[in-house]
Amino acid sequence: MKGIVEGIARGREKKHEVIGSPILFTARWLHVITQDNFDAYIPRTFSRRTWLVNTVDGQPTLGVFVMDNKPMYWLKQVKYVESIYLDKEPTEQIPLPNMEPKQFSKGKLSFTGVPLSLLAPLVGKLLWWVQSSDGLERVITEHQLENWVLTEQRELINLNTKAGSWIKNVLRFCGEKGYISL
């Protein structure tokens, strides 16, 4: 199927002619891994707005586009795609432990919080995600846990990246064993 994907990427309007097809998925997340081992977890809410493409602007490639009313995401050089289902929702509510917050900084900003790596073993062993007030779920991979800090204002901040590095109004931190309400 030939089509046009367009949206805002890096602050500029982008438009690409693609050959591929929309992906309709019922799994909780679509897990995409690129050639450089970048992990992306696309939530079910983006079904039909996600395209698997084999040609972009006349050039052969295997990629995934995610269209949103916010930025457009283009995952280039895809090597692996899988669906991730959960057998059941986490039902055990785990109390937020009383941990001493530490001081962190990112650029000129400083804040206090707790690394997710300290909370992760309480809720799961293999898979972690956060639910925020905007209704989206964002997966946090094991190698990313060290980089994410939960602040006292219910915000998650990624100390290692710029894009997508701030998640506001976090409601729950979840894993396959249980969840912590914030």
Side-chain angles (χ1 to χ4, degrees), residues 16-181:
H16 298 282
E17 186 176 292
V18 298
I19 298 175
S21 61
I23 303 171
L24 307 175
F25 56 97
T26 59
R28 183 122 185 198
W29 300 285
L30 194 65
H31 180 205
V32 179
I33 300 175
T34 61
Q35 291 293 337
D36 59 358
N37 290 323
F38 177 77
D39 278 302
Y41 291 83
I42 303 167
R44 178 176 40 228
T45 55
F46 289 97
S47 178
R48 297 184 184 174
R49 292 185 282 165
T50 301
W51 278 58
L52 181 63
V53 298
N54 59 18
T55 305
V56 177
D57 297 330
Q59 298 296 313
T61 185
L62 183 59
V64 172
F65 276 94
V66 181
M67 271 70 72
D68 189 6
N69 55 2
K70 294 181 183 172
M72 166 182 65
Y73 299 99
W74 179 7
L75 301 166
K76 299 177 182 179
Q77 299 178 327
V78 170
K79 70 176 182 180
Y80 182 76
V81 178
E82 71 175 334
S83 298
I84 297 182
Y85 292 88
L86 288 180
D87 293 335
K88 60 181 180 148
E89 285 287 322
T91 55
E92 181 184 349
Q93 183 169 357
I94 297 159
L96 183 62
N98 191 8
M99 296 181 165
E100 188 67 35
K102 295 180 182 172
Q103 212 42 45
F104 295 92
S105 62
K106 181 174 182 170
K108 295 180 181 180
L109 300 174
S110 65
F111 47 89
T112 56
V114 176
L116 278 189
S117 58
L118 297 177
L119 300 174
L122 302 173
V123 296
K125 292 183 179 180
L126 302 171
L127 185 64
W128 302 272
W129 65 96
V130 294
Q131 296 171 333
S132 55
S133 63
D134 62 5
L136 287 181
E137 295 179 334
R138 293 160 181 92
V139 172
I140 309 289
T141 61
E142 184 173 10
H143 67 274
Q144 294 172 327
L145 285 171
E146 286 292 326
N147 301 329
W148 286 96
V149 173
L150 177 64
T151 71
E152 295 172 319
Q153 290 76 35
R154 295 187 324 151
E155 296 176 333
L156 277 175
I157 298 171
N158 188 328
L159 299 175
N160 250 14
T161 64
K162 292 180 183 175
S165 61
W166 206 292
I167 301 172
K168 296 183 180 221
N169 301 315
V170 175
L171 301 175
R172 296 192 331 165
F173 176 54
C174 306
E176 70 275 9
K177 291 184 346 188
Y179 64 92
I180 296 172
S181 285

